[in-house]
Amino acid sequence: MSIGMANLDGALQVKVGTLFGRELILVSQSKMEIQTWFMGFMIGRREFNNELVRQLRYEEWTQEGVRTCGIRFKYNGKTQVLVKALLDESDSLRTVVRIINVYKFSHTMPQEVELTGS
């Protein structure tokens, strides 16, 4: 697994390469966009309003008899899978969760405060 990170026009850009392809995660203050790439072609794109994203977490599960790990979150009451990988890539995915959480994408925008002098 490979992880690349950049700041692009105020948005966090995280590239996660796995055995299954590549996920490009773009996180701005208002939305999170997930692009799925395979062999140089974008095969999927999903957008999520950050105010509705809940419980971003690393998890392990069994799917069709294969132990898998990934990043999941709740959106409008449904569980979404952000990135899925083989179990031995768990440390890298935990790192991605920390990166996104540090970027504070799930927090609301700060309100302006007017300061007055006395």
Side-chain angles (χ1 to χ4, degrees), residues 74-91:
K74 293 266 188 191
Y75 190 78
N76 284 337
K78 293 185 178 183
T79 299
Q80 303 286 326
V81 177
L82 179 60
V83 178
K84 183 168 67 170
L86 299 175
L87 197 55
D88 64 351
E89 298 172 322
S90 61
D91 288 338

Side-chain angles (χ1 to χ4, degrees), residues 39-93:
M39 298 185 72
F41 296 97
M42 187 178 1
I43 59 172
R45 182 173 160 251
R46 300 177 288 160
E47 283 189 14
F48 302 93
N49 179 335
N50 286 342
E51 291 182 8
L52 302 175
V53 173
R54 302 284 183 264
Q55 301 173 3
L56 178 76
R57 66 208 180 269
Y58 165 84
E59 283 189 340
E60 297 177 9
W61 66 92
T62 301
Q63 184 175 4
E64 299 174 7
V66 177
R67 298 254 354 228
T68 305
C69 66
I71 300 172
R72 291 180 170 179
F73 62 92
K74 293 266 188 191
Y75 190 78
N76 284 337
K78 293 185 178 183
T79 299
Q80 303 286 326
V81 177
L82 179 60
V83 178
K84 183 168 67 170
L86 299 175
L87 197 55
D88 64 351
E89 298 172 322
S90 61
D91 288 338
S92 297
L93 291 183

Side-chain angles (χ1 to χ4, degrees), residues 3 33 40 49 66 95:
I3 298 174
E33 180 179 326
N49 179 335
V66 177
T95 300

Side-chain angles (χ1 to χ4, degrees), residues 111-117:
Q111 295 182 4
E112 270 187 44
V113 177
E114 188 175 318
L115 299 176
T116 58

Side-chain angles (χ1 to χ4, degrees), residues 5-18:
M5 193 173 42
N7 189 341
L8 182 65
D9 294 329
L12 175 67
Q13 176 179 307
V14 182
K15 294 180 185 178
V16 181
T18 68

